[in-house]
Amino acid sequence: MPNTDHPYLEVAAICRQYGATLVAVSKTRTLREIENIYQMGQRIFAENRVQELLAKAPVMPRDIEWHLIGHLQTNKVRSLLPYVNCIQSLDRFSLWETIEEEASRISKPVRCLLQIKVAQEETKFGWDYNELIDVLESIPTQEFTFVRLEGIMGMASLTEDTAQVRQEMRQLRTYFDQLKAKYFAQQPEFTTVSMGMSGDYLIALEEGSTMVRIGSLLFP
């Protein structure tokens, strides 16, 4: 029987209240730790590094949905695609092209999120919003038949200033609404706003997140 006091169950219940999807970030976690959360009902897990995802996915239950949330190098796409269900870190056009090419090679559609940068840190990856708009205006995205865009992903600044975090998340939600209205109105699958992690997921849910990526809170 699962431990009813386990923090996973509390976080999962909060996500259900908001109608949001919980993604368990399992980076650095052992197979036993992942299995424990799996037995409580979690089926979506995420890794930051391709190598770690490739080590875990083949030996874990087949009904797990694996997401990649870390920066993805183009030379890692081919090895990743057979095991990944969703790439949340689509952050540049060259990667978009590579995913399309490799996915078409194996005839596997790949769900992706457009990672948009709203944080102040220079170390954060993601599209500049205006550059993304330029790409969407100039490239016929319908030609990319294997990259299935389902929404956006972003990270707020790592700061104790909750007002700044809230403003950045509100901005990300606004970007989603603008993109949905202008470019993806005819794509019913474009519904995901992936924002919020262990330290700020409650703010994210309040600001319209539909998917949160939680790691340390779930693995006490």
Side-chain angles (χ1 to χ4, degrees):
M1 293 292 290
N3 179 0
T4 56
D5 295 327
H6 197 283
Y8 164 77
L9 298 173
E10 178 182 358
V11 175
I14 292 171
C15 289
R16 284 194 297 272
Q17 289 174 10
Y18 282 89
T21 299
L22 172 60
V23 177
V25 179
S26 50
K27 65 176 184 178
T28 75
R29 301 297 172 177
T30 65
L31 297 180
R32 183 183 293 271
E33 288 176 300
I34 298 171
E35 177 72 19
N36 186 34
I37 300 295
Y38 174 88
Q39 293 297 340
M40 295 183 195
Q42 182 64 21
R43 290 297 181 270
I44 307 176
F45 292 84
E47 293 289 337
N48 274 47
R49 298 172 62 246
V50 172
Q51 184 176 353
E52 200 166 349
L53 190 152
L54 295 182
K56 293 173 179 175
V59 297
M60 293 299 291
R62 292 291 184 89
D63 62 340
I64 286 181
E65 178 180 309
W66 291 99
H67 290 213
L68 185 81
I69 59 175
H71 185 65
L72 177 56
Q73 297 174 315
T74 54
N75 63 359
K76 300 283 183 66
V77 172
R78 177 172 292 192
S79 61
L80 174 70
L81 287 192
Y83 299 99
V84 75
N85 297 91
C86 179
I87 297 172
Q88 295 202 21
S89 48
L90 176 48
D91 61 358
R92 60 201 186 279
F93 188 64
S94 61
L95 179 60
W96 194 338
E97 290 181 306
T98 301
I99 296 171
E100 176 70 21
E101 178 182 349
E102 294 296 339
S104 64
R105 188 180 62 83
I106 61 174
S107 298
K108 177 187 176 180
V110 181
R111 296 157 50 207
C112 295
L113 303 181
L114 296 163
Q115 182 176 355
I116 300 175
K117 183 177 179 183
V118 293
Q120 298 299 312
E121 295 105 317
E122 289 298 321
T123 55
K124 291 288 199 304
F125 292 100
W127 295 88
D128 172 84
Y129 184 67
N130 291 325
E131 291 178 359
L132 173 59
I133 294 300
D134 289 343
V135 169
L136 294 175
E137 289 284 353
S138 61
I139 304 297
T141 56
Q142 64 270 21
E143 293 183 0
F144 291 82
T145 57
F146 285 89
V147 171
R148 304 290 175 83
L149 297 178
E150 295 194 347
I152 66 173
M153 183 268 263
M155 289 173 276
S157 297
L158 185 61
T159 174
E160 295 183 3
D161 184 347
T162 57
Q164 179 181 340
V165 170
R166 187 176 295 277
Q167 187 278 326
E168 290 171 353
M169 289 182 168
R170 188 168 296 172
Q171 181 65 72
L172 194 64
R173 176 69 205 203
T174 298
Y175 286 157
F176 169 81
D177 292 337
Q178 292 171 349
L179 292 171
K180 178 68 173 179
K182 188 168 185 181
Y183 300 102
F184 300 100
Q186 303 306 313
Q187 294 181 221
E189 69 276 10
F190 195 87
T191 58
T192 299
V193 182
S194 175
M195 64 180 182
M197 299 184 290
S198 289
D200 56 20
Y201 83 100
L202 290 173
I203 297 175
L205 291 171
E206 292 170 358
E207 294 301 330
S209 174
T210 68
M211 177 179 286
V212 293
R213 310 178 304 274
I214 309 293
S216 57
L217 276 183
L218 306 185
F219 298 95

